[in-house]
Amino acid sequence: MTKDINHPLLEQISPIDNDLGLTLNYVIEESKATTVLFLYNTDYLQSDFPITKDTIHHIEKEYRNVTINYPAFVPVSTLIKYPFHSSKHLVFQEAVFPLWLSKENFNSSKVLNIKPTKINNFRSEIEKQKVIHSYSHKLNPKKAPSIAVLICAYNEESYIDAAIQSAYLQNEPADEILIMDDGSTDHTASRINQWNKYQRIRTYFQKNQGKANALNKLLSFVTSDFILELDADDWLDYNAISTIKNYLSHLGKKDVLLYGNFRKWKQLPNDEVIYTTHAKGKQIYHKHQLFKYSLPLGPRIYRTSSLNAIHGFPTIPFEEGRLYEDVTVLHSLFDLGNFCYHDFTIYNVREHDQSITKNNHFKWRDYVKFMEQNFKTD
């Protein structure tokens, strides 16, 4: 708020450590009230205000064809028993509200009659709401193959927490989350180290040897059937693992890789991210298509046994295997089986000025020439 408030019943609260979730928990614990009413932006109550005592009420916000539930009228005792999750590393802090409803699975919550804020129909806002909407997805109880998330980081202190938290906060947990710091010279290693106390997360550290080498080190510790590779500056939708497992349940035995679509977001200096485009994938059938594919093929979900069969990610002489390791490994995997594309979007790419790929895009032609000269690409 830009104006000072001067009213005995009103108090303006400053965020604690830029964390909406922790700030709300503190305010609620200090409150002497029995119930909390949440209003968002310019929402207001209708004249008809029916509530049921000791019951959670929520509101429904619609963004075109997307409906998102937000807590509205909630007993303080419930909020203290089930506090909000820290929103410090959520890409969109307002996601803390549907996350709370989803994680605690309050199926008996009732709809409250609140006039919603006028919807911003800008494309970036709509895509943001699609990401937040994933927090409302319900689980499919169908048994599916196990999956590990692999994250390798080099000097990603600004984004690594958001990447790890997106992998950890899933409506269906990943079976393993393995993280490698590849000899970072900033504070990435210390940030990663803070996550080793969490269940299913294992952290590793090595001297800088490049991403292919780091991924191979992690591969040696994987026990899951499939591997999802997550770049340290990207993030996953809340329903990423459950969506992937649903497709893996129908994957053919000769399919060595599953992939789909992804969204691209531009990182701004003020920590805001703006949606730029939806990168829609397509089915590829031959090796030579890898070098003509207009987008990075992703998200990439590898069959673990297939990766082990080719001895992991190849460390070729070109740039000592530090660039385009994703294409090189796909080139090798084509000899083992099929690649399977499905039209799903659960992966978010963050574009920023420090991106290794962005700063080395001019080397792509040299890489393709190297592969054509040294490997069979037909």
Side-chain angles (χ1 to χ4, degrees):
M1 298 182 66
T2 58
K3 295 182 179 180
D4 291 332
I5 300 175
N6 185 17
H7 192 285
L9 294 180
L10 302 180
E11 181 180 358
Q12 185 170 330
I13 304 297
S14 299
I16 300 173
D17 197 22
N18 197 33
D19 192 320
L20 177 60
L22 294 184
T23 303
L24 289 170
N25 292 338
Y26 172 78
V27 172
I28 290 166
E29 288 177 359
E30 295 296 313
S31 172
K32 296 180 181 179
T34 58
T35 311
V36 173
L37 171 64
F38 295 96
L39 293 174
Y40 305 90
N41 298 325
T42 57
D43 291 355
Y44 61 90
L45 295 174
Q46 301 284 61
S47 57
D48 182 18
F49 187 27
I51 61 172
T52 304
K53 186 179 180 181
D54 300 327
T55 300
I56 298 170
H57 296 74
H58 69 271
I59 58 173
E60 297 176 340
K61 286 182 172 288
E62 293 187 5
Y63 295 80
R64 292 194 178 179
N65 295 325
V66 174
T67 300
I68 305 175
N69 294 332
Y70 285 77
F73 202 76
V74 186
V76 167
S77 58
T78 302
L79 289 165
I80 292 177
K81 183 177 180 180
Y82 303 103
F84 287 104
H85 193 282
S86 168
S87 60
K88 186 175 183 180
H89 305 305
L90 292 175
V91 179
F92 306 115
Q93 288 218 27
E94 59 265 49
V96 71
F97 297 107
L99 172 62
W100 183 83
L101 279 173
S102 175
K103 294 296 283 186
E104 306 310 336
N105 197 22
F106 297 125
N107 294 322
S108 60
S109 178
K110 296 184 177 181
V111 179
L112 188 63
N113 191 16
I114 291 181
K115 185 68 175 177
T117 302
K118 184 178 179 180
I119 302 303
N120 179 344
N121 283 318
F122 290 126
R123 184 63 186 273
S124 183
E125 180 66 22
I126 293 171
E127 291 298 324
K128 182 174 83 169
Q129 297 306 326
K130 287 181 180 179
V131 174
I132 295 176
H133 177 251
S134 69
Y135 289 88
S136 303
H137 286 196
K138 301 301 181 183
L139 284 178
N140 183 352
K142 183 177 180 179
K143 186 177 180 180
S146 56
I147 185 168
V149 178
L150 267 55
I151 305 174
C152 294
Y154 175 73
N155 289 354
E156 296 286 1
E157 63 178 352
S158 298
Y159 310 119
I160 184 63
D161 285 310
I164 298 173
Q165 178 140 296
S166 77
Y168 182 73
L169 279 181
Q170 289 285 314
N171 64 348
E172 180 172 356
D175 298 274
E176 304 174 277
I177 302 174
L178 284 70
I179 311 164
M180 173 69 78
D181 176 71
D182 186 30
S184 296
T185 57
D186 61 1
H187 296 96
T188 300
S190 61
R191 304 193 82 91
I192 291 175
N193 193 50
Q194 296 176 4
W195 289 91
N196 61 14
K197 61 184 178 182
Y198 290 87
Q199 187 179 11
R200 302 186 312 278
I201 292 182
R202 303 201 300 275
T203 59
Y204 304 88
F205 306 86
Q206 68 173 23
K207 294 181 180 179
N208 182 253
Q209 299 179 51
K211 190 172 182 179
N213 181 280
L215 285 169
N216 286 333
K217 289 287 182 64
L218 292 182
L219 177 61
S220 66
F221 298 109
V222 172
T223 60
S224 297
D225 301 316
F226 288 86
I227 290 171
L228 167 62
E229 183 187 345
L230 173 62
D231 285 350
D233 48 0
D234 298 338
W235 76 91
L236 302 172
D237 285 3
Y238 180 64
N239 62 326
I241 298 301
S242 59
T243 299
I244 290 171
K245 284 193 172 186
N246 182 55
Y247 285 106
L248 291 179
S249 298
H250 307 285
L251 203 67
K253 293 183 179 181
K254 293 185 178 181
D255 295 326
V256 297
L257 181 89
L258 169 69
Y259 65 103
N261 319 313
F262 55 87
R263 305 180 195 88
K264 286 187 177 181
W265 302 82
K266 175 66 176 178
Q267 178 68 49
L268 301 182
N270 64 354
D271 291 335
E272 185 179 1
V273 289
I274 300 296
Y275 170 80
T276 57
T277 188
H278 186 187
K280 190 174 176 63
K282 60 182 180 181
Q283 182 67 49
I284 57 176
Y285 302 95
H286 306 288
K287 278 186 178 182
H288 65 84
Q289 290 180 285
L290 287 172
F291 304 101
K292 297 179 181 179
Y293 203 78
S294 58
L295 303 164
L297 191 150
R300 298 176 296 279
I301 301 97
Y302 304 96
R303 191 183 293 274
T304 306
S305 59
S306 299
L307 278 179
N308 286 325
I310 62 171
H311 307 291
F313 293 78
T315 52
I316 61 176
F318 182 83
E319 295 292 326
E320 298 179 340
R322 295 174 181 268
L323 286 176
Y324 311 119
E325 79 292 330
D326 53 340
V327 182
T328 307
V329 71
L330 295 177
H331 179 270
S332 299
L333 281 175
F334 246 119
D335 294 329
L336 294 185
N338 305 319
F339 290 6
C340 182
Y341 165 76
H342 281 288
D343 186 10
F344 66 96
T345 308
I346 49 82
Y347 193 99
N348 300 276
V349 173
R350 189 195 306 262
E351 297 178 315
H352 56 94
D353 293 337
Q354 289 75 43
S355 171
I356 294 177
T357 302
K358 179 178 180 179
N359 292 331
N360 291 278
H361 66 89
F362 60 92
K363 296 182 180 180
W364 171 252
R365 290 185 179 179
D366 292 336
Y367 167 75
V368 173
K369 185 177 180 180
F370 173 86
M371 293 295 291
E372 290 175 343
Q373 291 176 345
N374 294 274
F375 299 93
K376 184 178 179 181
T377 57
D378 295 330

